[in-house]
Amino acid sequence: MRLLFVISLIALVPLGQAVAQSSDLPESVRALIPLAEEEGALHVYGATLNPRQVRAFSKSFNDRYGTDIDLTMSGGLHSAKASEVAMAHRAGVPTGIDVFWTGLISAMVDTGALMEVDWAGHYEADASLTMGKWGLRTHDGHQSMVTINTGRVAADDAPKTYMDLLDPKWRGRIVIPRSPYPWIAMTYALGEQETVELLSRLITEQEPKMLARYADIRARVLSGEFPIALGTDIFSLKKRGAPVDHPDIDLLVLSSSGAFVLASAEHPAAAKLWGLWAVSPKGQATLEEARGYSLAETPGTALNTYATGRRVAHVPFDWRLENHDRLAEIYLEILKRAGS
Amino acid sequence: MTRLNPLSLIYGGALIGLTFIVISLAGNIVGSLTSDTQFNRFTLDAYSRLLSDPGLPATLLRTLALGFGSISVTLAFAIPFAWLLARTDFKWKTGLFTLLAAKLAIPGFITAMAYVWLFNPSAGLVNALLGQTNYTGEPAFDVYQIKWLCLLQGLVLVPGAAFMLIPALRNLDGSLEEAARVAGVPAWKTFRHIVMPLLAPGILAVGVFYFVVAVEMFDFVAIIAPPGDVLVLTIYEALNTVDGLPDYGLAGAAGVLLFALSAGAILFYVRFLRQAKKYAVLGGKRRDPGLVRLGKWQRAASALVILWVTLSVGLPVVTLLWVAVVPFIQPPTFAALDSVSLYGFLDGLAYLREPLTNTAIVMAGTISMALTFAICLTWVVTRSRSTIAPWADALVFLAPAVPAIVTATAFQVMGIAVYQWLPLYGTLWLIMAAMGTRMLAYCTRTMNAAALQIHPELEEAAWVAGLSRWRTFTGVFLPLMAPAIFYAALMVGMLAARDLTLPLIMNSAGTPLVSVLIFDLQTNGETASAAAVALYMIVVLVLLALTARRLTGMAEPGLEPTR
C-alpha cells in the first residue's frame, strides 16, 4: 500500500510541475496551452541544431507548459528559405513551418507571410522585446565581435578598439567573413563614415583572409592559423576549453533575432507559446546551454557577462530594415576590392 | 483498343528526364531575367550589373584556369586508373576500387581543411616543420593559390572520372590490341595509338563534363579562398544576401556565363557524336579483351596509385580520424593528445539511425530515377535517328553548370506551382527528383560513351532474327550496357548520400539526412561528432559499393587480378 502511495506521488510530480509552471502565466498565454496541445506539433525553422539540442529544446518547452508537443527544428540558408516561404504564401501552399526564427525577414514582410502578433499587449511579453508588428526578440546576434586565439595573442596585446585592428602588426593575421553583415550592424554604432574608413583600410592595408562561411572562420581562429577573427562568437567553444576568447573591446554591437509566426502556420498556438518560452528564464537558459544564444539583458549568460560594464549598441530592428539594402551594397563593393 | 508501343516508354522516359533538365535550366535563365524582387517582370538589369563589373574579365579567366587545371589533374590520374582496373593484371585492383569508392564518400570540406592545416602559409604543419612560414619570412608552401585549388578539385574528381571511363575501356575490342601485340608493338605504344584514340569520345565526354563540374564546385573555393573571385563565388554571394530576397538575377546571369564557358566544349562534343560510328568497337565479332600483363610496370602503377591515395584519401581520412577524437578542431600536437577521447564516435552513433534510413531511401530513389531517365535518353541519343537527339544530349550536358542552389530553388518553385495537382513540395520525392536531374548528365556521359562503342550491327542482327525492337532493347542493348549502368549507379548513389546543398535548401521537417546531420554538427562546433558520422558514412558506403560489385558480378572479368 505504501509502495502504491509512493508510486502515485512520483506519477503526480510532472503534473504538479506543469501546474506550478503554468500557473504563473498570464491568462491569455494559458488559453493557448489547450489549443497547442490539440495542434500537437510544431516546426521551428532557423537554427541548425543537432538531435541532442532539439531534445533539450523540446523538453524545456514542454516542461514549461506541461504539454507533449512534438517539436521539430531545422535550419539552412535563411534568405533563400524566406524567399521560398514568401512564394509559397502567395501561392497558398503550406510550407510546414510555424515559426521562422531569424533576424532576416524583409522578404516575408513584403508578401504578408508573417502573422501580426501583439506579443506585449495581448500576451504580456516585455515590450522592449517586440520586433515590429510580428516578432519577439529571443537572442542578440553578435556577428561584429572580435575573437582571438589565446595561444597566439596575449590578452594585453589584443585589440582594445576596432581601430586597433588596423595596427600593422596584424597585417595578414585577421580572418573575416565575405559578408557585409557585421559592417551594417557596426554602422549603427560607429557611423557610416567611420565604418567605411575602417573596412576600407582593413581591406587595403591589412589584407585579411576572407571566407564565405562563418563555421570556417571559427575553425581557422581555433586552429591558430589566424590569431584574430571578426564576425563570429565563441562562447560555447570557450566553455568547452577551446583556446579562444573575445578580447576586451570597448564596444559591443548587437543585432537581434527573434521568433516570427508565419501567417500560414498550421500550429499557431504552439508557435506563439514557443516564442514566449524562448524569452522566459527557462527558455533563455536552454538557448544558452544548447546553442550559446541569449538576450544581452538575461542575467548570468555569457553574453550578459561580457556586455556588463561595456558600451553596448543595440541595432534597432526598424533601422536595420530601413538601411540594410543600401549599406549592403556599399560594403560589398569595398569587400570586392580585396585581391582584385 | 490500341496497344501501347513499348518503345514509347523509352521515349516517354527520355521526355520526362528532359523536362526535369529544362526545369533546372529554365530556373537559371528565368532567374537571370528577373529583377531583385519581381518574378513576373523581365529585365536585363542583372546582365548589365554583371557585365559592367570591371573585375569580370579577371574572374572569367580565373574560372577558366580553375576548370582546365582541375580536369588536367583529374584526367592524369583517371585515365591510367580506369585502364589499370579494366584492362590490366594490376595487383591491387580491389584495393584501388575500394579507395576510389571511399574517396567519393569523403566530404569535400574535410579534404580542403586537411590541406589548409598542412600547407597554410602562417601555421601550416609542413611549413612549420620546415621553419618557413610567413612569420619567419617566405613560406615554403602557400595553399591559398589557384594552382592548389586545381590540384585539390582535380584529385577529388578522379573516382567519378575513372568510373565513367571503365565501361568504355571494358567494351574495347581486344582483337585490336592483340593484333598490335602480335605485330610486336610495345604495350605503351598500343595504349597511345590504339586505346587512347578509340577512347576519344569517352575521354572528351569526361573532360567536358568535369570542366563544367569543376567551375561549379563550391566547397574548395569556400575554404581555400584564393585571392580574387571565381564565378561560383559571385553566385554564392548573390544568393546569400544579408536580408531580403536573394539576388536571383545576378546569380542567374552568372550561371548563364557558366553555360557560355561550357558551351564551346559541349558543341565540340556534339560534333564528335556525329561521327559516332568511327568509335563503335563492340561488334558481333568482338573478342574478349583479355588482360594486359604489366610485368615490371606493376611498380610504376602502384607508385601512381599510392601517390593519389596519399594525397586524396590518406590525408583527409587521417584528418577525419583526428578531428573525431579531439573536442574541437586543432592541429595535432603532443598537448592535444591529452584531450583525445572516443566521445565523438559514441555521440555520432546515437544520432545515426533515422538519418541513415532516410539517406538510404534518397539513394535508392535517386538511383532509380536517374538511371531510368538516363537509359532512355542514352538509347534515344545513340540509337534513334532523330536530328534533335544530339541537341537533347547537349541540353543534358548543360545541367551540371546550373549551380546546385539554383536547381534546388527551381524545383522548389516548380513544387509550389504544381502543388494543387501534385503535392510533392516539402517531400523527399522532390529532393530525389532534383538530385536525379543533377546526376542525369553524369549517367548519360557514362552510358553514351559505352553505347557508342556497341555497334548497331548487334541490334540489327537481333531484328533480322525476328526479335522486336523492345526485346532487342531489353535483351541486347541493356545487357551490353550493364557495366556502364553499374558504375553510373555507384556514382549516383555515392553522390546522393553525400550531397548537402539540395537537402539543405529543400529540407522537409522530420526527414533528416546524414549529410545534413554532419552539417548541423559541424555548424554547432561539434566537429568530433561530425567527423565520426562522416567516418561511419564512409564505411557504410564502401561496404555497399563492394557488396554491389560482388552481387552484380562487376568484379569480372577486368576487375580481378589474373593468376
Side-chain angles (χ1 to χ4, degrees):
Chain A
M1 195 63 191
R2 190 182 292 172
L3 181 67
L4 193 66
F5 177 69
V6 172
I7 291 171
S8 308
L9 272 183
I10 293 170
L12 285 172
V13 166
L15 181 64
Q17 276 178 346
V19 171
Q21 280 161 0
S22 57
S23 62
D24 60 342
L25 299 171
E27 182 56 41
S28 54
V29 178
R30 265 185 289 165
L32 288 172
I33 295 174
L35 297 172
E37 268 196 304
E38 205 170 303
E39 290 167 358
L42 173 66
H43 179 193
V44 179
Y45 176 92
T48 48
L49 300 176
N50 67 42
R52 191 180 47 235
Q53 291 167 324
V54 176
R55 280 198 293 273
F57 270 54
S58 178
K59 184 175 182 318
S60 175
F61 169 65
N62 279 304
D63 281 357
R64 167 118 179 111
Y65 300 113
T67 52
D68 185 21
I69 293 166
D70 182 15
L71 175 66
T72 302
M73 301 201 64
S74 58
L77 302 176
H78 284 207
S79 55
K81 185 57 97 180
S83 136
E84 178 196 319
V85 165
M87 272 187 276
H89 178 74
R90 264 199 300 247
V93 172
T95 59
I97 297 173
D98 299 300
V99 176
F100 211 120
W101 192 26
T102 188
L104 318 173
I105 59 153
S106 65
M108 294 182 290
V109 168
D110 296 343
T111 52
L114 298 176
M115 183 185 285
E116 291 185 11
V117 182
D118 186 4
W119 296 102
H122 193 65
Y123 298 110
E124 300 179 31
D126 183 338
S128 70
L129 298 180
T130 55
M131 297 173 81
K133 292 178 282 185
W134 312 277
L136 190 62
R137 180 160 64 92
T138 56
H139 60 285
D140 293 315
H142 22 83
Q143 285 84 354
S144 304
M145 285 184 88
V146 174
T147 301
I148 54 167
N149 182 301
T150 50
R152 296 255 171 196
V153 183
D156 290 348
D157 206 22
K160 305 284 186 293
T161 68
Y162 282 108
M163 282 301 177
D164 285 351
L165 294 172
L166 300 176
D167 189 323
K169 72 182 171 188
W170 303 126
R171 187 161 180 265
R173 309 275 189 267
I174 303 172
V175 58
I176 64 169
R178 274 182 73 102
S179 165
Y181 196 55
W183 309 101
I184 292 174
M186 228 182 270
T187 306
Y188 177 73
L190 299 178
E192 192 170 328
Q193 197 179 349
E194 193 174 337
T195 311
V196 166
E197 190 200 336
L198 173 61
L199 178 60
S200 303
R201 286 184 59 195
L202 191 73
I203 295 295
T204 51
E205 295 170 19
Q206 300 297 71
E207 296 176 7
K209 182 78 181 165
M210 290 202 294
L211 297 174
R213 300 186 286 212
Y214 287 90
D216 295 329
I217 294 171
R218 264 197 299 272
R220 302 296 176 87
V221 73
L222 254 178
S223 71
E225 181 191 346
F226 291 95
I228 298 182
L230 187 140
T232 181
D233 72 279
I234 44 76
F235 289 128
S236 52
L237 284 170
K238 191 182 163 192
K239 211 158 65 180
R240 298 214 303 264
V244 281
D245 205 352
H246 293 304
D248 196 15
I249 298 259
D250 60 340
L251 170 69
L252 173 61
V253 184
L254 299 171
S255 47
S256 17
S257 287
F260 295 86
V261 181
L262 294 191
S264 60
E266 289 169 50
H267 313 103
K272 288 171 194 164
L273 283 181
W274 191 89
L276 295 162
W277 161 80
V279 299
S280 71
K282 188 155 190 172
Q284 286 286 294
T286 307
L287 263 60
E288 156 98 343
E289 178 62 30
R291 197 65 168 82
Y293 287 167
S294 78
L295 292 162
E297 52 266 52
T298 303
T301 63
L303 180 61
N304 176 262
T305 308
Y306 185 79
T308 304
R310 207 174 298 275
R311 184 160 70 95
V312 177
H314 213 131
V315 184
F317 178 68
D318 293 336
W319 181 91
R320 219 175 66 202
L321 272 185
E322 203 176 305
N323 290 285
H324 84 266
D325 275 354
R326 184 180 63 80
L327 293 174
E329 207 170 304
I330 293 170
Y331 295 130
L332 270 176
E333 204 53 49
I334 300 172
L335 288 168
K336 274 189 176 177
R337 287 182 209 154
S340 60
Chain B
M1 203 170 123
T2 317
R3 268 191 67 190
L4 182 71
N5 179 356
L7 281 184
S8 58
L9 288 175
I10 303 176
Y11 285 104
L15 192 64
I16 296 173
L18 275 178
T19 307
F20 282 164
I21 296 281
V22 168
I23 289 170
S24 175
L25 294 172
N28 200 136
I29 293 165
V30 171
S32 75
L33 295 170
T34 58
S35 70
D36 284 0
T37 51
Q38 301 292 319
F39 271 98
N40 53 358
R41 194 181 305 152
F42 293 108
T43 164
L44 291 174
D45 169 65
Y47 287 96
S48 154
R49 281 186 290 142
L50 183 70
L51 297 175
S52 62
D53 180 353
L56 184 66
T59 301
L60 286 177
L61 275 179
R62 271 190 292 269
T63 305
L64 281 170
L66 181 61
F68 284 118
S70 301
I71 55 164
S72 304
V73 175
T74 299
L75 292 177
F77 286 99
I79 295 172
F81 285 1
W83 184 67
L84 288 174
L85 285 170
R87 305 305 301 267
T88 73
D89 65 345
F90 181 54
K91 278 190 294 188
W92 312 110
K93 283 185 185 181
T94 302
L96 177 56
F97 175 87
T98 307
L99 290 164
L100 286 168
K103 180 62 198 165
L104 283 177
I106 299 174
F109 73 87
I110 288 291
T111 305
M113 278 305 296
Y115 275 82
V116 166
W117 285 355
L118 292 172
F119 299 108
N120 79 68
S122 35
L125 284 178
V126 176
N127 286 325
L129 282 173
L130 295 171
Q132 284 181 269
T133 66
N134 61 9
Y135 284 97
T136 60
E138 193 67 16
F141 298 98
D142 182 358
V143 75
Y144 301 130
Q145 303 292 327
I146 199 103
K147 60 189 176 195
W148 280 84
L149 198 53
C150 295
L151 173 72
L152 296 181
Q153 289 202 164
L155 290 172
V156 161
L157 298 175
V158 168
F163 289 155
M164 250 185 182
L165 287 169
I166 287 173
L169 273 157
R170 286 177 63 127
N171 280 350
L172 280 186
D173 189 343
S175 60
L176 298 165
E177 285 157 286
E178 197 178 307
R181 204 160 42 233
V182 170
V185 179
W188 72 270
K189 274 196 171 176
T190 308
F191 179 75
R192 195 177 145 199
H193 295 294
I194 295 177
V195 177
M196 287 292 281
L198 286 173
L199 272 184
I203 293 173
L204 186 65
V206 170
V208 173
F209 179 79
Y210 280 107
F211 173 84
V212 177
V213 171
V215 295
E216 193 268 326
M217 282 174 88
F218 182 66
D219 260 1
F220 291 87
V221 171
I223 289 177
I224 302 293
D229 281 356
V230 286
L231 266 179
V232 71
L233 262 179
T234 308
I235 293 167
Y236 180 83
E237 274 176 359
L239 293 172
N240 282 276
T241 45
V242 179
D243 198 356
L245 286 169
D247 191 345
Y248 290 117
L250 191 63
V256 170
L257 264 189
L258 275 185
F259 294 169
L261 288 184
S262 315
I266 292 172
L267 283 174
F268 182 66
Y269 178 73
V270 169
R271 280 192 59 191
F272 215 90
L273 273 188
R274 290 191 181 146
Q275 305 159 37
K277 277 189 181 169
K278 280 199 323 199
Y279 303 95
V281 288
L282 181 52
K285 299 179 286 295
R286 173 186 185 255
R287 287 179 65 87
D288 192 305
L291 297 179
V292 175
R293 292 189 181 284
L294 287 178
K296 62 183 179 182
W297 291 98
Q298 286 277 3
R299 280 189 184 176
S302 303
L304 186 70
V305 170
I306 289 169
L307 175 68
W308 178 79
V309 169
T310 308
L311 294 175
S312 193
V313 183
L315 286 176
V317 169
V318 169
T319 306
L320 269 179
L321 281 167
W322 173 249
V323 175
V325 295
V326 288
F328 45 84
I329 288 186
Q330 54 195 304
T333 58
F334 286 112
L337 285 175
D338 289 341
S339 60
V340 165
S341 83
L342 292 177
Y343 172 80
F345 285 98
L346 295 174
D347 198 43
L349 199 59
Y351 300 147
L352 211 52
R353 205 183 65 177
E354 197 190 347
L356 203 57
T357 310
N358 290 330
T359 302
I361 293 169
V362 167
M363 280 172 75
T366 307
I367 290 173
S368 310
M369 256 187 234
L371 288 190
T372 306
F373 299 142
I375 290 169
C376 297
L377 275 163
T378 292
W379 189 87
V380 170
V381 167
T382 61
R383 290 299 185 266
S384 79
R385 294 188 171 88
S386 166
T387 49
I388 60 163
W391 298 107
D393 192 40
L395 204 61
V396 178
F397 225 142
L398 273 176
V402 181
I405 195 168
V406 176
T407 301
T409 307
F411 272 80
Q412 291 288 75
V413 172
M414 188 266 291
I416 290 169
V418 303
Y419 186 82
Q420 280 180 312
W421 305 280
L422 200 60
L424 294 180
Y425 172 71
T427 67
L428 280 181
W429 288 102
L430 199 61
I431 298 178
M432 289 188 264
M435 270 188 191
T437 304
R438 277 190 67 75
M439 291 170 195
L440 205 47
Y442 176 82
C443 297
T444 55
R445 297 289 57 82
T446 310
M447 292 184 195
N448 285 5
L452 285 174
Q453 291 180 317
I454 301 170
H455 204 292
E457 72 181 28
L458 287 169
E459 286 141 292
E460 283 159 13
W463 298 334
V464 171
L467 258 64
S468 67
R469 290 195 77 176
W470 175 251
R471 288 291 307 278
T472 308
F473 172 74
T474 55
V476 177
F477 184 77
L478 285 184
L480 287 171
M481 290 289 291
I485 293 171
F486 170 78
Y487 284 103
L490 180 68
M491 182 77 181
V492 168
M494 294 289 185
L495 293 182
R498 208 184 69 181
D499 190 70
L500 174 65
T501 309
L502 294 178
L504 201 59
I505 301 285
M506 304 173 74
N507 67 352
S508 49
T511 49
L513 301 176
V514 175
S515 57
V516 177
L517 173 65
I518 294 172
F519 173 83
D520 288 348
L521 291 166
Q522 166 85 0
T523 307
N524 277 296
E526 291 176 65
T527 46
S529 307
V533 171
L535 283 166
Y536 287 133
M537 191 66 181
I538 291 168
V539 171
V540 169
L541 290 178
V542 168
L543 288 177
L544 264 179
L546 289 172
T547 310
R549 189 179 67 135
R550 183 164 285 274
L551 289 178
T552 53
M554 280 300 140
E556 301 297 338
L559 287 176
E560 288 299 327
T562 50
R563 293 176 195 281

